[in-house]
Amino acid sequence: MSARKLLHLVLGIALAAAFLWLVLRQISLGDIRAAFFSASTTLILVAVAAFCAGYACRIERWRRMLAHDNPALRWSDCAGPFMGCVATNNVLPFRAGDVLRAFGFNRRLGTTAAASLATVLVERLLDLLMVTAFLGLALAWFGMSSSRLLGVGGAFLVAGAAVILLVLLFPSLFKPVALAAVRLLSTLAPGAGARVRGQIDRLFGALEYMASGATMPALVVWSALAWMAEGAVFWLCALALPSIAQPLAAWLALPIGTLATVIPSTPGFVGTFDYFVMQAMAAQGNTAASATAYALLVHTVLWLPPTILGGAYLLAHPAKQLEAT
């Protein structure tokens, strides 16, 4: 492990520990335990079903993005690798699941590394666009300012969404910048520059395919469905806890907790996710103990199913090597 990666891992663990301390420092563990175990099993199972529906939409979105390379791909072909990569991200540091998705299943799926890498990039941008939209709607509904919870104003959110849309709809605008970087690399290492140039062409070919025709609107629709299902997970978990007085606050916790995952942390975002979800719930009048129990419950529902399902797939169908095809 390089010194840089080691420093990143140590920083993530330290921040996770700090946020966990902030979560637990003034709350009785007994109160949290009592709130957590009072949850309705039925509603938790419904939340898990909503989670599965959301990930079914995510898998279909990925399949449509990969169709540029392999139009014959079926949803069932993509489901196992997708969940395996989510499970990997949940238990290993440095976004190892994203690396696995870009390079680990190309031969199995009949795709190229450049196309797979493009799907990861577009997926992240689509998710960020959806989270920004959900945050704007939640802030408007609750009459709050984004600076209260995030330290940035509404203008920043609008500008961020505009940049994301620009990249998604007009990726060719950014190709000259990438090619200029490749030319610089070619002067230093001609062989490497030629190889990278080929990958850049493939990458932008995949991005331009996704931006063309009806492809991007379809990807936006599948993204919206996926995030509505995830919002339902947050809301159902709030309804499952009798101590949550304001369950609609879950729709604020969704974007706030998701945006918090950009902070360096441990695999699974332990600490950072929980702290900001708790803060969002408490900001709408829920008690600290109930908000903390809620954060732990929704985190469990989001983390456990994909880790079990994806882990089972990887055990049965291991990615024996990274495929750079």
Side-chain angles (χ1 to χ4, degrees):
M1 184 185 296
S2 67
R4 181 179 179 181
K5 284 188 174 182
L6 179 61
L7 178 61
H8 188 276
L9 180 61
V10 171
L11 175 62
I13 293 172
L15 285 173
F19 279 112
L20 278 176
W21 177 76
L22 289 172
V23 168
L24 300 173
R25 59 176 178 159
Q26 293 181 336
I27 304 171
S28 164
L29 292 178
D31 291 343
I32 297 173
R33 189 183 304 111
F36 185 89
F37 286 106
S38 69
S40 164
T41 303
T42 301
L43 286 173
I44 291 174
L45 291 176
V46 177
V48 171
F51 168 87
C52 293
Y55 268 74
C57 295
R58 292 176 187 272
I59 293 164
E60 174 60 18
R61 179 180 65 178
W62 191 44
R63 186 199 67 79
R64 287 172 177 261
M65 288 191 279
L66 290 174
H68 174 60
D69 264 17
N70 184 359
L73 271 177
R74 299 167 300 177
W75 184 92
S76 57
D77 298 325
C78 301
F82 186 92
M83 297 307 295
C85 295
V86 174
T88 301
N89 269 342
N90 282 349
V91 298
L92 294 180
F94 312 123
R95 305 297 299 187
D98 292 348
V99 177
L100 183 62
R101 184 132 62 99
F103 301 105
F105 297 104
N106 296 314
R107 195 169 302 152
R108 193 174 301 178
L109 297 174
T111 58
T112 63
S116 296
L117 186 61
T119 66
V120 174
L121 173 61
V122 171
E123 180 182 283
R124 292 290 176 269
L125 291 173
L126 284 168
D127 286 344
L128 186 56
L129 181 64
M130 291 297 116
V131 170
T132 303
F134 270 85
L135 178 59
L137 290 171
L139 292 173
W141 177 267
F142 292 110
M144 297 176 63
S145 167
S146 59
S147 59
R148 175 177 171 183
L149 288 171
L150 298 175
V152 298
F156 179 86
L157 297 177
V158 172
V163 171
I164 294 169
L165 283 173
L166 188 65
V167 175
L168 288 173
L169 296 176
F170 306 103
S172 58
L173 294 176
F174 300 87
K175 190 172 182 178
V177 177
L179 293 178
V182 171
R183 287 193 294 270
L184 178 59
L185 175 63
S186 297
T187 62
L188 302 174
R195 290 193 297 273
V196 172
R197 171 58 192 262
Q199 294 297 324
I200 288 293
D201 287 338
R202 290 182 179 182
L203 173 64
F204 276 91
L207 290 173
E208 288 162 7
Y209 160 77
M210 289 181 240
S212 64
T215 304
M216 186 54 67
L219 296 178
V220 170
V221 169
W222 284 109
S223 299
L225 290 172
W227 281 97
M228 287 172 64
E230 188 143 332
V233 173
F234 276 71
W235 181 54
L236 288 163
C237 286
L239 293 176
L241 290 172
S243 58
I244 292 292
Q246 301 294 334
L248 284 178
W251 294 96
L252 178 63
L254 166 67
I256 294 295
T258 303
L259 289 173
T261 61
V262 303
I263 301 172
S265 184
T266 60
F269 312 110
V270 175
T272 49
F273 175 87
D274 307 283
Y275 174 77
F276 284 96
V277 167
M278 185 199 77
Q279 290 295 305
M281 296 299 288
Q284 293 304 310
N286 294 294
T287 66
S290 63
T292 303
Y294 169 79
L296 296 175
L297 176 61
V298 75
H299 201 164
T300 301
V301 171
L302 293 175
W303 184 90
L304 194 58
T307 304
I308 293 174
L309 294 173
Y313 176 83
L314 290 177
L315 288 174
H317 307 88
K320 296 181 180 178
Q321 59 180 354
L322 293 180
E323 306 163 1
T325 59

